[in-house]
Amino acid sequence: QEGNAMTLGKLIEKIVEQKGQQYDTGILTDWVNEIEGQAVDEVINQAEGYNIAFVPYDYVQDAERTLRIPDRFQDVYLNYLHAKIDFGNQETERYNNDVAMYNASYEAYAAWFRRENRPKKRAMFSKF
């Protein structure tokens, strides 16, 4: 169902519901860009047939844009943003928990993506 795909706007709405409006949408969007840029570099562009130039989201223009990490792995975004917010609030215990959950969700996403796609062939350097 494309209809309920997670968009930038919906993700940020969800974060505000869970955490309150502690940071403005611009900052939250920057954090989404951090995690999505990382996923593009480390995971997506390592696969055969992908060569995405990551274009950061701008909240005002891109609230309706669908996020790149599929819905079933939306915890990657949620845990990352929770970690950033709890770190900012010096909630150390919560932060440590968020980071552990983020790492687990990111690894699950990366493992799934790698199973679904073939890795790029690495260039073999021949000696002359």
Side-chain angles (χ1 to χ4, degrees), residues 45-128:
N45 282 345
Q46 301 302 317
E48 193 73 51
Y50 287 91
N51 196 10
I52 294 164
F54 176 65
V55 180
Y57 297 103
D58 169 290
Y59 184 77
V60 177
Q61 293 170 8
D62 297 322
E64 293 307 308
R65 249 172 77 190
T66 300
L67 299 171
R68 230 177 255 287
I69 297 174
D71 283 15
R72 57 190 271 217
F73 299 107
Q74 64 181 250
D75 280 0
V76 172
Y77 297 107
L78 294 170
N79 293 331
Y80 189 78
L81 269 66
H82 287 169
K84 288 289 202 176
I85 291 168
D86 290 335
F87 182 80
N89 295 340
Q90 297 175 317
E91 300 258 14
T92 312
E93 206 169 307
R94 275 192 177 166
Y95 167 76
N96 291 333
N97 194 31
D98 298 330
V99 169
M101 286 168 62
Y102 160 72
N103 287 332
S105 57
Y106 186 82
E107 283 312 309
Y109 158 67
W112 167 80
F113 191 89
R114 289 176 188 130
R115 281 195 305 274
E116 298 290 310
N117 295 278
R118 290 161 51 148
K120 279 185 179 155
K121 290 189 174 51
R122 293 283 164 234
M124 299 297 288
F125 295 103
S126 55
K127 292 195 168 88
F128 291 105

